[in-house]
Amino acid sequence: MSPMGEKYIKKLYQHLRQLPEEEREDAVMEIKSHIVESVRNGRKEEEVLAKLGSPSKLARAYLGDFYVRESSMHPLFLIKALLLYVTSGFLSLIFIPVLGMLSVTFGIVSIIIPILGLLRTFGASWIQMNLTPTYEVPVLLSFPFALLVALFLFGLFWICWKALRGYLTLLSSAHRKIILSSHVR
């Protein structure tokens, strides 16, 4: 194995420090034999290392697999996971579709409104912009008014999108915490 391959294996070993020593050695030996076997079969070592990805990402995959294997049957894990999925499952039925639809709707409308304002400015009389039942936006102000409305709607889109991403991140971090806290050493 070349110095580049040895350096890769050394970094992988360092990133696997959270694993028990036996698991760590097994993972490193598995990757080392994969590299050697691939080179023996005619592939370039650089190509094999590129396919494996960075040592840190590969180590995270091994760590994740280990945590799931070790934690999935632990009673505390099962209780915490059940509580997470029951409570978040009901909320997810509401939050995810509502925030998703609102963000998509606000995003699309924030694109369409300036186009309609521009069309109205240049003579599309079928487009109406009424602020109240008795007051209509003057034709020359249609585009600037549409831009203001579009900016407001884009702000709502951004808020809904961030809320949706935040909720999904919260769920995934809660799931990760359950797995990590139930890890049996």
Side-chain angles (χ1 to χ4, degrees), residues 75-115:
L76 186 58
F77 169 79
L78 295 175
I79 292 168
K80 285 182 176 181
L82 182 64
L83 284 173
L84 172 71
Y85 294 131
V86 166
T87 57
S88 67
F90 178 71
L91 291 175
S92 294
L93 287 174
I94 296 168
F95 285 143
I96 293 173
V98 168
L99 289 175
M101 288 300 293
L102 284 174
S103 64
V104 167
T105 302
F106 288 142
I108 290 171
V109 171
S110 70
I111 294 169
I112 292 173
I113 284 184
I115 295 169

Side-chain angles (χ1 to χ4, degrees), residues 56 81 94 98 120 168:
S56 63
I94 296 168
V98 168
R120 185 169 188 258
L168 293 174

Side-chain angles (χ1 to χ4, degrees), residues 3-183:
M4 182 174 42
E6 292 294 336
K7 184 178 177 182
Y8 184 93
I9 294 295
K10 187 182 234 181
K11 282 184 180 180
L12 177 64
Y13 186 80
Q14 290 169 350
H15 287 294
L16 291 172
R17 66 184 165 273
Q18 294 175 353
L19 286 179
E21 191 61 33
E22 184 179 319
E23 292 277 337
R24 192 176 185 187
E25 290 292 331
D26 287 347
V28 168
M29 288 306 295
E30 181 181 347
I31 295 302
K32 200 174 205 177
S33 66
H34 172 73
I35 295 169
V36 170
E37 186 67 30
S38 296
V39 169
R40 198 175 297 148
N41 288 335
R43 294 181 69 198
K44 293 182 180 179
E45 188 176 27
E46 297 84 24
E47 181 184 323
V48 175
L49 295 177
K51 286 262 188 198
L52 287 172
S54 72
S56 63
K57 284 185 180 180
L58 185 58
R60 281 195 301 264
Y62 273 102
L63 288 168
D65 181 56
F66 177 75
Y67 289 145
V68 168
R69 251 186 305 118
E70 292 294 317
S71 302
S72 64
M73 295 313 293
H74 192 273
L76 186 58
F77 169 79
L78 295 175
I79 292 168
K80 285 182 176 181
L82 182 64
L83 284 173
L84 172 71
Y85 294 131
V86 166
T87 57
S88 67
F90 178 71
L91 291 175
S92 294
L93 287 174
I94 296 168
F95 285 143
I96 293 173
V98 168
L99 289 175
M101 288 300 293
L102 284 174
S103 64
V104 167
T105 302
F106 288 142
I108 290 171
V109 171
S110 70
I111 294 169
I112 292 173
I113 284 184
I115 295 169
L116 293 175
L118 194 60
L119 289 173
R120 185 169 188 258
T121 302
F122 289 108
S125 59
W126 53 272
I127 300 172
Q128 295 182 1
M129 289 187 171
N130 297 335
L131 290 178
T132 66
T134 58
Y135 180 75
E136 185 173 345
V137 175
V139 173
L140 289 176
L141 295 178
S142 296
F143 185 66
F145 177 75
L147 280 178
L148 286 174
V149 171
L151 285 173
F152 175 74
L153 291 173
F154 185 79
L156 291 176
F157 153 76
W158 188 254
I159 290 168
C160 290
W161 179 252
K162 284 295 199 180
L164 179 61
R165 287 191 57 198
Y167 179 71
L168 293 174
T169 302
L170 177 73
L171 281 181
S172 65
S173 67
H175 178 72
R176 200 173 307 119
K177 282 180 186 176
I178 287 172
I179 289 175
L180 292 177
S181 70
S182 300
H183 172 62

